């Protein structure tokens, strides 16, 4: 029984990371296929009906899902290539101007755009990746400083810190923390994201915990 239990734990620890990878891969695969399926499915169905002898397989669900994923990836790459050119930047500016006229969409799109642009640029005068006391002083969370403000009346510096959750960093908390309570790190945004998504498995050998120097 002891050996059987050891085999079971070893097998569980071996299969668990593979299972997590499959869950993430399946989520992304379904998300990508669902984006293009409404357009790809009717087209592949017409082609299969027109030439059933050698295109009949295109009407199968697995073929439609594959075509949908390929089409979505192609569109994403094409948009990225277009956004790097002048004409693409003009189209994006026109789209943003159109979104700005819709009250609710303007708020959602503008906030998401600013957050993504902020995380992709280097910090200016502040440490981007920090540790904060959350949920209490004996525990730390990794956060991203998105803005530094002043407290009304006292002028004390306060930082708006986005604290993403594990393993999905797109959801999280927004904390307002005094700058002198931040624990600065030398991590890049990519290193912090890898730490968060992996649940701490991908991390450096040492990490700051107690604040020892002046505010970053």
């Amino acid at each position: 029984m002891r050996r059987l239990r050891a085999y079971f734990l070893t097998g569980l620890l071996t299969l668990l990371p593979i299972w997590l990878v499959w869950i993430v891969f399946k989520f992304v695969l379904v998300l990508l296929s669902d984006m293009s399926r409404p357009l790809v499915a009717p087209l592949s169905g017409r082609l299969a009906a027109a030439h059933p002898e050698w295109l009949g397989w295109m009407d199968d669900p697995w073929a439609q899902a594959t075509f949908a994923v390929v089409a979505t990836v192609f569109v994403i790459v094409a948009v990225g290539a277009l956004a790097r050119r002048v004409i693409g930047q003009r189209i994006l500016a026109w789209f943003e101007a159109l979104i700005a006229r819709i009250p609710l969409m303007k708020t959602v799109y503008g906030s998401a755009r600013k957050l993504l642009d902020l995380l992709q640029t280097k910090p200016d005068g502040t440490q981007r990746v920090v540790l904060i006391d959350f949920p209490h002083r004996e525990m730390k969370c990794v956060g991203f400083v998105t803005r530094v403000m002043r407290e009304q009346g006292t002028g004390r510096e306060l930082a708006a810190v986005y604290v993403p959750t594990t393993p999905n960093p797109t959801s999280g908390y927004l904390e307002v923390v005094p700058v002198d309570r931040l624990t600065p790190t030398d991590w890049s945004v990519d290193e912090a994201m890898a730490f968060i998504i992996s649940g701490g498995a991908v991390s450096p050998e040492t990490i700051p915990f107690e604040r020892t120097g002046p505010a970053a």
Side-chain angles (χ1 to χ4, degrees):
M1 291 299 297
R2 186 177 302 175
R3 183 175 298 179
L4 182 62
R5 182 169 53 191
Y7 288 161
F8 176 80
L9 291 177
T10 303
L12 183 64
L13 294 177
T14 302
L15 293 176
L16 185 59
I18 301 176
W19 178 75
L20 292 176
V21 170
W22 165 247
I23 291 296
V24 174
F25 177 76
K26 183 179 179 181
F27 171 77
V28 174
L29 189 66
V30 172
L31 181 64
L32 291 178
S33 63
D34 287 346
M35 293 176 64
S36 299
R37 190 185 295 270
L39 296 176
V40 172
L43 179 60
S44 61
R46 292 193 190 99
L47 292 175
H51 305 281
E53 63 281 357
W54 54 286
L55 290 180
W57 57 271
M58 295 184 65
D59 199 26
D60 291 336
W62 67 266
Q64 294 181 359
T66 303
F67 291 146
V69 171
V70 173
T72 302
V73 172
F74 176 78
V75 171
I76 294 174
V77 173
V79 170
L82 187 63
R84 290 178 173 268
R85 301 181 181 274
V86 176
I87 184 174
Q89 294 175 357
R90 291 180 179 177
I91 295 175
L92 183 60
W94 173 82
F95 176 76
E96 291 180 345
L98 179 64
I99 292 295
R101 299 180 181 180
I102 306 175
L104 182 59
M105 293 184 64
K106 177 182 70 174
T107 302
V108 175
Y109 178 83
S111 301
R113 184 72 183 180
K114 288 180 180 178
L115 178 60
L116 292 176
D117 291 341
L118 183 68
L119 294 179
Q120 291 176 356
T121 57
K122 294 182 179 180
D124 184 15
T126 183
Q127 180 70 31
R128 179 75 72 226
V129 182
V130 297
L131 301 180
I132 66 171
D133 299 331
F134 183 78
H136 55 78
R137 291 192 177 185
E138 297 302 320
M139 301 178 68
K140 298 286 186 180
C141 271
V142 178
F144 301 99
V145 176
T146 58
R147 181 167 181 162
V148 176
M149 305 164 288
R150 296 273 180 183
E151 184 180 10
Q152 185 176 1
T154 64
R156 182 174 59 162
E157 286 189 321
L158 303 174
V161 183
Y162 174 65
V163 181
T165 55
T166 299
N168 179 16
T170 59
S171 65
Y173 306 92
L174 177 63
E175 304 288 332
V176 179
V177 185
V179 171
D180 57 9
R181 297 293 302 275
L182 301 177
T183 302
T185 71
D186 58 354
W187 294 3
S188 65
V189 173
D190 292 340
E191 291 173 335
M193 281 295 186
F195 179 78
I196 293 168
I197 294 175
S198 67
V202 180
S203 64
E205 294 296 330
T206 60
I207 180 174
F209 192 84
E210 295 294 339
R211 180 176 175 77
T212 58

